Amino acid sequence: MKYLVLVYTLFIGLPSFAQYVVRNGGYSVQCLNSPIKALEIAEGEAQGLQIHYSSKRFYLTKAADLVSRIATVDMEKARKYLKWLGEWKSQIKWMAQLDQYSPNDQGKIKLPYTDCHVRIGIVQINETRFGVQQYWINPGVWNTMDEDQKAALVLHELIYRDLLEENPNSNSSFVRQVNLKVHTLDLNNDRKAFIDLLRAL
């Protein structure tokens, strides 16, 4: 897998939405005087969406709880995600210098914030054809996130893994949309929209 040097892009007091390109799925947003958040959560809040976090306490149980929302519309997919979640800890690799690397995974971001920058939290190494599945985690990002944001990043990687195994050339923009829907959708009112989104994976 080809790696590129990650170039940080800062938001500098723009009155309109800042736009730039990212090159990996597991990103977070760090803004001045604000807690660090998973990118799609920050994007959702920027859109004025209400985020529904899990009431569980630990990030892995929170992630499992989020997967249960998917189970209400796609049990097979949820079972697959829970299996992968059970393997999560054995597939983690801590990478203190992870900020320097990212796969070629482009997607645009729009945030109406100033004094913010994007930091890479997780790089997924998905080469299951060769028996390799790893999640490289940046401890400098991970250790400053609360359990809800960690769970959001974990779910992002599970959804992304699903997509990568079908299409190795896919990017994470679509994954962020799905993850944000899991965190915001009222499944009773938006069930069809959510099913259509999952089927697109």
Side-chain angles (χ1 to χ4, degrees), residues 138-199:
N138 184 344
V141 171
W142 185 261
N143 293 335
T144 59
M145 302 183 92
D146 67 25
E147 299 297 290
D148 286 317
Q149 304 309 314
K150 290 177 182 177
L153 274 189
V154 170
L155 183 59
H156 177 107
E157 295 304 325
L158 299 179
I159 297 169
Y160 199 15
R161 178 176 176 179
D162 193 11
L163 189 60
L164 284 171
E165 294 193 352
E166 293 295 326
N167 180 10
N169 296 317
S170 58
N171 66 57
S172 70
S173 296
F174 179 69
V175 177
R176 296 203 310 273
Q177 293 178 44
V178 178
N179 195 11
L180 184 58
K181 290 292 186 184
V182 174
H183 279 84
T184 59
L185 266 184
D186 178 349
L187 296 182
N188 292 324
N189 295 325
D190 299 305
R191 188 180 182 87
K192 183 180 184 304
F194 193 34
I195 291 174
D196 290 343
L197 197 59
L198 287 177
R199 284 177 177 169

Side-chain angles (χ1 to χ4, degrees), residues 7-52:
V7 178
Y8 285 115
T9 303
L10 301 177
F11 304 115
I12 309 176
L14 296 177
S16 59
F17 281 81
Q19 298 188 47
Y20 52 96
V21 173
V22 296
R23 296 184 179 278
N24 181 269
Y27 269 80
S28 62
V29 176
Q30 179 73 68
C31 299
L32 186 65
N33 299 322
S34 297
I36 193 166
K37 294 183 179 179
L39 176 55
E40 46 261 69
I41 299 302
E43 289 180 312
E45 291 179 348
Q47 298 172 45
L49 300 176
Q50 184 176 1
I51 308 299
H52 302 286

Side-chain angles (χ1 to χ4, degrees), residues 99-118:
D99 283 322
Q100 299 178 18
Y101 304 100
S102 68
N104 184 12
D105 174 30
Q106 298 179 345
K108 290 184 178 179
I109 307 169
K110 293 184 179 181
L111 292 171
Y113 302 131
T114 59
D115 299 319
C116 299
H117 66 276
V118 170

